Amino acid sequence: MAYFLLTGRHVFEGRTIIEICGHHLHTAPTSPSERLGRPLPAALEAWVLACLEKDPARRPASASEAAARL
């Protein structure tokens, strides 16, 4: 949700649901700054990308932890 609110676009796009699901499983997200073509605060961008980590151990463990990091 944060990625969409910052960029106005979904994290992954594709022609089919299968293609989008494949991106969710295997593709690293484009940074919000790169997608926007202008910089965002580094800490905010790091937080968004941490929430999108593929490895659960690298994501905030709970909504409370995500809120505390924010």
Side-chain angles (χ1 to χ4, degrees), residues 36-68:
L36 282 172
R38 61 184 166 86
L40 290 172
L44 177 59
E45 183 159 272
W47 179 81
V48 170
L49 292 174
C51 291
L52 295 172
E53 278 288 343
K54 305 245 183 271
D55 179 359
R58 296 184 66 179
R59 289 192 302 255
S62 65
S64 297
E65 183 181 335

Side-chain angles (χ1 to χ4, degrees), residues 12 18-29 52 54:
F12 299 112
I18 300 299
E19 186 178 348
I20 295 167
C21 288
H23 286 306
H24 276 283
L25 293 171
H26 305 291
T27 305
L52 295 172
K54 305 245 183 271

